[in-house]
């Protein structure tokens, strides 16, 4: 660990699990490079400060009601948070920069920069008012970040309505998405104006920033990084995957993982278990949940399934399962409320991953060489799934078919048949390339050095 250089970096994560993880991983990396770290966070989905004793945490009020915090409408939550948090962030920064005498400290803090998630659209003006450089964290695959900013333009050009005959066609300006994927990304009809306005603000408030930190690497995002100069005229730092950098591990999960997963896996044969997790936001209908359950059971293979409480509409947990379902598995299946995902993907017994293809999960699976079955639902998951199945060819795409026979067939193709062996060989090659990127001299390692130099220059 390097000596503190007395320069402090302020990080402000968006309060969603998929955004908190990479921000705190970035904090650990910068701390290892000698910077002091302060995390400003909302009361909604506050990170667990006790898990990160070397950082300073400062909470601001977000103004969300209890009902709003429980909403499944993520766009609504993001809109409310951006509307509510500007004044609290401004006040919080003022207190950090110029502590009052009541705090026992009168010395002004030396702040190098503010790093916040691209989903915050008011922070550029706040940073400018304090004369603090701002860096933007992109928690998506950079291909998606560039592409999703085009959604308002695509809509204006009359993309919809979409004829059924064009559903499978590629989207020329947003490869490798198919048109049917883009329809799902473009959102519900009642949210069109709200989504487009939000995306325009993201672009407008990112352009004046001092750079973008990307949680990807050149090996996974080469084409989009090469195109970035057409949109942005500042440095871009692809330093990912952040979780495999050589820094001490710590948890940033908002949920308590069930640690009994690992002893259960220890008793299984190598590459014999299908891991199933659809992330921290995805919700299922009861019918979809039962189709997945039956597909897993009918595959006659071992599985470890994460079912988040409240993720099945109208149910608390797994009470929808048929009477005797668990017993009928005869020990081949285990269902938990949350799991230590990194440990599971790294376990020798894990043979494949049925995933929603959030970017964190996708990266983690690649880094452990675990082939995927893609079941994307929203947003960037749809693009990530296309890369998995169509570009890198390291998994199987369910194409939205949540049907027991389709699930059973995909599991057996990946876990038992020769197709799975071929996919496993391809992901092993990609795994090695991505892991090399963070080693000394690799693309991400070089980019991290450039980022540290950039922050030190402020």
């Amino acid at each position: 660990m390097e000596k503190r250089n007395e320069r402090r970096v302020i990080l402000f994560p968006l309060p969603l699990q998929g955004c908190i993880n990479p921000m705190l991983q970035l904090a650990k990396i910068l701390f290892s490079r000698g910077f002091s770290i302060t995390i400003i966070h909302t009361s909604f989905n506050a990170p667990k400060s006790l898990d990160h004793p070397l950082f300073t945490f400062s909470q601001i009020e977000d103004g969300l009601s209890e009902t709003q915090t429980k909403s499944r409408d993520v766009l609504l939550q993001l809109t409310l948070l951006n509307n509510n948090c500007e004044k609290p962030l401004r006040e919080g920064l003022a207190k950090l920069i110029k502590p009052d005498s009541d705090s026992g400290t009168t010395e002004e803090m030396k702040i190098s920069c503010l790093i916040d998630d691209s989903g915050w659209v008011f922070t550029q003006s706040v940073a400018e008012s304090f004369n603090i450089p701002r860096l933007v964290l992109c928690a998506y695959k950079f291909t998606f970040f560039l592409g999703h900013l085009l959604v308002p333009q695509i809509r204006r050009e009359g993309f919809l309505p979409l004829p059924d005959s064009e559903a499978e066609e590629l989207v020329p300006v947003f490869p490798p998405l198919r048109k049917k994927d883009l329809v799902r990304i473009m959102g519900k009809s009642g949210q069109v104006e709200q989504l487009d306005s939000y995306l325009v603000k993201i672009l407008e408030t990112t352009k004046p920033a001092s750079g973008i930190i990307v949680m990807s690497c050149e090996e996974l995002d080469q084409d989009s990084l090469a195109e970035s100069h057409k949109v942005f005229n500042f440095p871009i730092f692809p330093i990912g995957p952040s979780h495999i950098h050589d820094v001490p591990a710590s948890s940033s999960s908002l949920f308590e993982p069930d640690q009994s997963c690992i002893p259960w896996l220890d008793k299984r044969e190598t590459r014999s278990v299908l891991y199933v997790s659809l992330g921290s936001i995805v919700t299922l209908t009861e019918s979809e949940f039962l189709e997945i359950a039956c597909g897993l059971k009918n595959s006659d293979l071992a599985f470890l399934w994460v079912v988040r409480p409240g993720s099945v509409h109208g149910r608390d947990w797994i009470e929808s399962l048929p009477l005797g379902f668990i017993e009928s598995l005869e020990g081949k299946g285990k269902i938990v409320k949350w799991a230590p995902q990194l440990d599971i993907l790294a376990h020798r017994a894990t043979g494949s991953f049925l995933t929603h293809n959030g970017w964190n999960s996708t990266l983690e699976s690649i880094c452990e060489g675990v082939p995927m079955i893609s079941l994307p639902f929203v947003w960037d998951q749809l693009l990530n799934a296309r890369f998995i199945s169509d570009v890198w060819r390291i998994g199987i795409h369910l194409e939205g078919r949540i049907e027991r026979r389709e699930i059973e067939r995909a599991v057996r193709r990946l876990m038992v048949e020769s197709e799975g062996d071929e996919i496993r060989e391809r992901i092993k090659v990609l795994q090695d390339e991505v892991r090399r990127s963070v080693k000394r001299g690799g693309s991400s390692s070089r980019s991290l050095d450039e980022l540290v130099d950039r922050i030190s220059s402020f």
Side-chain angles (χ1 to χ4, degrees):
M1 194 71 70
E2 298 182 15
K3 183 180 178 182
R4 304 297 99 205
N5 62 16
E6 297 185 354
R7 298 300 298 267
R8 184 166 294 272
V9 176
I10 308 292
L11 297 100
F12 184 38
L14 207 61
L16 302 175
Q17 182 70 79
C19 299
I20 292 171
N21 285 351
M23 187 69 82
L24 289 180
Q25 287 161 0
L26 173 62
K28 287 186 287 185
I29 292 169
L30 293 178
F31 184 86
S32 75
R33 293 301 188 99
F35 295 98
S36 297
I37 301 295
T38 294
I39 309 290
I40 297 181
H41 62 88
T42 59
S43 49
F44 172 54
N45 282 348
K48 298 175 182 177
S49 58
L50 293 178
D51 291 337
H52 307 276
L54 299 177
F55 304 159
T56 300
F57 286 80
S58 177
Q59 180 169 298
I60 63 172
E61 291 304 315
D62 50 56
L64 295 187
S65 67
E66 184 176 353
T67 300
Q68 290 165 346
T69 63
K70 294 178 180 178
S71 173
R72 291 193 176 101
D73 187 340
V74 176
L75 180 58
L76 172 63
Q77 288 180 333
L78 294 178
T79 301
L80 292 169
L81 286 164
N82 274 285
N83 289 342
N84 297 347
C85 288
E86 180 171 357
K87 183 179 178 183
L89 177 64
R90 193 179 295 276
E91 292 173 347
L93 280 174
K95 289 180 180 179
L96 288 173
I97 294 170
K98 293 186 177 181
D100 55 42
S101 56
D102 293 339
S103 68
T105 304
T106 56
E107 183 179 353
E108 290 192 14
M109 184 180 294
K110 298 176 182 177
I111 296 177
S112 292
C113 64
L114 169 69
I115 301 175
D116 63 75
D117 193 280
S118 61
W120 290 120
V121 295
F122 64 85
T123 47
Q124 182 64 34
S125 61
V126 173
E128 288 173 356
S129 69
F130 287 102
N131 199 28
I132 299 174
R134 172 187 175 235
L135 292 167
V136 175
L137 178 67
C138 169
Y140 304 124
K141 188 181 189 306
F142 197 59
T143 308
F144 181 81
F145 183 75
L146 286 183
H148 88 303
L149 298 174
L150 297 174
V151 167
Q153 174 189 333
I154 293 171
R155 203 190 311 271
R156 286 195 304 270
E157 292 174 353
F159 176 83
L160 299 176
L162 177 69
D164 291 342
S165 60
E166 297 181 10
E168 298 293 335
E169 292 181 5
L170 292 174
V171 183
V173 296
F174 206 163
L177 277 182
R178 300 184 187 182
K179 289 185 176 180
K180 63 180 182 181
D181 302 325
L182 187 57
V183 169
R184 295 172 67 183
I185 287 174
M186 291 175 79
K188 303 173 185 176
S189 57
Q191 293 183 321
V192 167
E193 185 175 338
Q194 185 181 12
L195 176 60
D196 286 2
S197 173
Y198 184 50
L199 295 175
V200 168
K201 287 178 182 176
I202 288 176
L203 179 59
E204 289 175 347
T205 56
T206 299
K207 282 186 172 182
S210 298
I212 296 180
I213 303 168
V214 180
M215 289 311 183
S216 185
C217 57
E218 290 181 5
E219 287 73 6
L220 298 176
D221 255 319
Q222 186 172 11
D223 290 347
S224 54
L225 288 167
E227 292 290 309
S228 64
H229 71 277
K230 296 179 181 179
V231 183
F232 302 111
N233 59 2
F234 49 52
I236 296 177
F237 306 97
I239 68 165
S242 57
H243 74 281
I244 58 171
H245 280 268
D246 188 18
V247 294
S250 60
S251 172
S252 56
S253 175
L254 296 171
F255 309 103
E256 192 63 37
D258 188 333
Q259 297 298 338
S260 70
C261 296
I262 304 305
W264 186 84
L265 285 172
D266 289 341
K267 299 174 183 178
R268 308 290 147 184
E269 295 182 5
T270 299
R271 292 201 302 271
S272 66
V273 177
L274 170 71
Y275 173 53
V276 184
S277 177
L278 300 178
S280 59
I281 293 177
V282 167
T283 57
L284 300 168
T285 65
E286 188 172 30
S287 173
E288 290 170 336
F289 172 69
L290 291 173
E291 289 297 309
I292 293 174
C294 291
L296 296 177
K297 179 179 182 297
N298 294 346
S299 74
D300 201 32
L301 296 169
F303 64 85
L304 172 58
W305 186 10
V306 176
V307 181
R308 198 180 72 254
S311 62
V312 181
H313 293 310
R315 300 292 181 178
D316 292 330
W317 192 37
I318 60 172
E319 58 271 27
S320 299
L321 291 175
L323 188 65
F325 179 88
I326 300 293
E327 293 74 14
S328 71
L329 299 174
E330 299 179 342
K332 284 189 174 181
K334 181 177 178 64
I335 304 176
V336 297
K337 295 179 177 178
W338 198 247
Q341 181 160 294
L342 284 172
D343 294 335
I344 289 169
L345 290 172
H347 199 284
R348 58 159 186 82
T350 303
S352 58
F353 182 14
L354 198 167
T355 172
H356 63 307
N357 277 133
W359 187 232
N360 290 329
S361 292
T362 300
L363 277 179
E364 290 162 8
S365 204
I366 291 172
C367 288
E368 299 303 334
V370 178
M372 286 164 268
I373 299 173
S374 297
L375 184 57
F377 286 79
V378 295
W379 213 223
D380 66 317
Q381 300 166 16
L382 296 149
L383 177 112
N384 299 336
R386 285 292 163 215
F387 271 90
I388 294 301
S389 62
D390 299 359
V391 179
W392 301 321
R393 298 169 59 227
I394 56 174
I396 296 170
H397 202 316
L398 285 171
E399 300 289 353
R401 296 187 295 265
I402 307 180
E403 198 276 328
R404 64 189 68 188
R405 292 181 184 83
E406 294 285 349
I407 292 167
E408 175 190 352
R409 178 74 181 122
V411 172
R412 296 195 65 81
R413 283 170 62 191
L414 201 51
M415 298 284 286
V416 178
E417 299 176 8
S418 59
E419 181 182 3
D421 294 333
E422 296 167 2
I423 289 173
R424 193 164 280 105
E425 289 176 5
R426 286 193 289 269
I427 197 171
K428 181 64 169 65
V429 172
L430 187 60
Q431 173 194 19
D432 292 343
E433 291 176 357
V434 170
R435 281 193 167 271
R436 278 198 299 271
S437 73
V438 303
K439 302 298 183 185
R440 178 55 56 187
S443 64
S444 292
S445 176
R446 297 193 305 271
S447 189
L448 176 58
D449 290 341
E450 293 168 2
L451 173 63
V452 170
D453 289 343
R454 175 74 165 166
I455 295 174
S456 300
S457 72
F458 292 143

